[in-house]
Amino acid sequence: MSDRARFVVIGGGAIGCGVAFQLAEAGITDVLMLEKESTLCAVTSAQAAGLVGQVRSSVERTRLAMWSVATFSRLERESEVKPGWRQTGSLRIAQTPERVREFHHLADIARRSGLEVTLLDREAAAGMWPELDFRPARAILWCPSDGYLQPADLVAAYRHEASRRGVRFRTGVGVTGFREEKGRITGVETEGGTIACEYAVNAAGAHGYHIARLAGLELPVVPVRHHYLVTTPTDWLRPDMPVLRLPDATLYARAEMRALLLGGWEPRALSLDPRGFGLADPLPPIEEDWPVLANFMEQFRPFAGSLADRPVRRVFTGWPTFTPDGRFVIGESSRVPGFVCAVGCNAHGVSGSAGIGRHLVESLFEKEPSPYVKSLSPDRFARGFDWPEAERAARRVLETYYAIGH
Ligand SMILES: Cc1cc2nc3c(=O)[nH]c(=O)nc-3n(C[C@H](O)[C@H](O)[C@H](O)COP(=O)(O)OP(=O)(O)OC[C@H]3O[C@@H](n4cnc5c(N)ncnc54)[C@H](O)[C@@H]3O)c2cc1C
């Protein structure tokens, strides 16, 4: 294989495909995506629950999520290949006075971002999830434009729209190295040959650390285990019911067709030191952790109504990556020009994918990217870091995912 492309995107998960799509949208169509597996969306993205939440603790993060929602809505309306976007809305439930105060603060951030949210009473919420017990709720925040999608459908839509504009996709091709001239990336090496390029984009998910190492960068992109369960079907759940977030119980839930999908953030997370395995190694398999999953069910019990003790049909699990500061790593490295990052998904890489792609385009082509976009640069780790501390901090991001102020 001897080839060239202006951009080579490494990794065909939600983030890599979101980046390819946003590059194409920006008129940059000389793009080649390389995915080492035989299909796109084969690794972490395939496991995601697909929740898309826009209520965030800063205006910038809210707007990034809003950008994703606007993109999903447009693709659903206009693309021949639909992302399966279900704009069900979401209900966020507070059980403590501190959480109620946080909801007022989040509502204020949402309004400043231009995102519609309302506080609902229990009766209104019960109208949307009839068999759930809302008595423990002290406040309920409703975001009507939230929802969920199936990651494989989203990736198919990105691929369709990007290909239509000229982007090329190759599966079954693993990246093994980089070619550099005077410190700048000039090509990507694969098992099948070298591809000359101007920019290489690292969207390799849990192998993002290893791809960065090949380019001479040390990045704290830490895989941390995440999982959720799906129960057997019920008589009354419907796929158009709103997504639920129960931050005091550290849980999220939605209807998966007629079944309940229930996931959460455990207090003692399990991480991998990415230096302990190689680029060519598969990710370590994950055993079902029944004590943690049973605890999700237990935490859900006060709300569960007729869903309590429902049998589990399937468990989904994977290694999304976390960074010590809980922020995405987006943009070109000033130490290795031409090496661009789109890693560190912090467990919202499917929902964030369109916004991440857009921020990547902004970081490269806007004369003056926003301070927020600049703050996501891989350069923030250039002074080095302590690995055990970075891994601990990355785990902590998962453990405190629904903590107040996260
Ligand atoms: C159980 C679970 C539930 C989740 N729920 C949600 C959710 O509700 N909402 C949400 O937004 N996010 C969720 N996430 C997180 C989400 O899955 C990730 O943020 C997202 O999938 C990251 O996408 P990615 O493209 O970076 O990674 P991946 O999907 O892993 O893609 C990276 C790709 O890079 C490829 N690759 C690696 N090395 C090479 C190489 N050398 N050459 C070529 N290709 C290579 C891999 O094969 C892989 O396909 C969840 C994750 C899990 C595990």
Side-chain angles (χ1 to χ4, degrees), residues 11 13-15 35-36 44-45 48-51 175 204 226 318 345 347-351:
I15 293 187
E35 165 55 54
K36 75 171 176 187
T44 319
S45 300
L51 267 53
V175 168
H226 184 44
C345 68
H348 53 295
V350 171
S351 53

Side-chain angles (χ1 to χ4, degrees), residues 44-190:
T44 319
S45 300
Q47 297 295 312
L51 267 53
V52 179
Q54 302 164 92
V55 176
R56 304 271 166 187
S57 59
S58 75
V59 169
E60 292 85 355
R61 293 180 62 206
T62 307
R63 291 210 170 122
L64 182 140
M66 288 169 72
W67 176 264
S68 285
V69 163
T71 305
F72 303 154
S73 301
R74 186 159 55 85
L75 287 172
E76 189 66 35
R77 245 188 351 261
E78 295 172 7
S79 179
E80 273 176 27
V81 177
K82 309 286 179 201
W85 170 229
R86 288 185 190 269
Q87 202 153 27
T88 55
S90 73
L91 296 168
R92 187 178 290 255
I93 296 167
Q95 290 172 261
T96 64
E98 298 74 37
R99 189 64 72 176
V100 175
R101 277 197 292 280
E102 188 209 26
F103 277 17
H104 286 285
H105 178 59
L106 289 174
D108 182 50
I109 293 169
R111 286 186 198 110
R112 282 193 280 129
S113 313
L115 177 70
E116 184 192 343
V117 292
T118 337
L119 286 161
L120 293 185
D121 58 25
R122 292 192 193 106
E123 288 67 34
M128 299 181 191
W129 267 82
E131 297 213 15
L132 221 62
D133 188 347
F134 283 96
R135 278 175 300 178
R138 285 175 177 246
I140 301 167
L141 191 66
W142 163 241
C143 179
S145 56
D146 271 1
Y148 67 91
L149 40 65
Q150 301 296 344
D153 294 343
L154 173 65
V155 163
Y158 280 149
R159 180 192 190 145
H160 176 77
E161 288 301 315
S163 316
R164 221 165 54 76
R165 292 163 173 83
V167 173
R168 292 168 289 156
F169 290 79
R170 277 189 208 150
T171 52
V173 182
V175 168
T176 53
F178 292 107
R179 204 171 67 193
E180 291 182 25
E181 276 168 36
K182 296 185 187 144
R184 194 192 158 88
I185 297 285
T186 56
V188 167
E189 288 165 4
T190 74

Side-chain angles (χ1 to χ4, degrees), residues 199-211:
Y199 294 100
V201 181
N202 176 8
H207 283 101
Y209 163 81
H210 309 89
I211 292 288

Side-chain angles (χ1 to χ4, degrees), residues 353-377:
S353 57
I356 291 171
R358 182 181 187 230
H359 282 357
L360 187 141
V361 169
E362 178 180 334
S363 75
L364 290 174
F365 299 113
E366 286 283 320
K367 217 162 154 200
E368 193 48 49
S370 71
Y372 175 66
V373 167
K374 283 190 195 162
S375 78
L376 302 176
S377 161

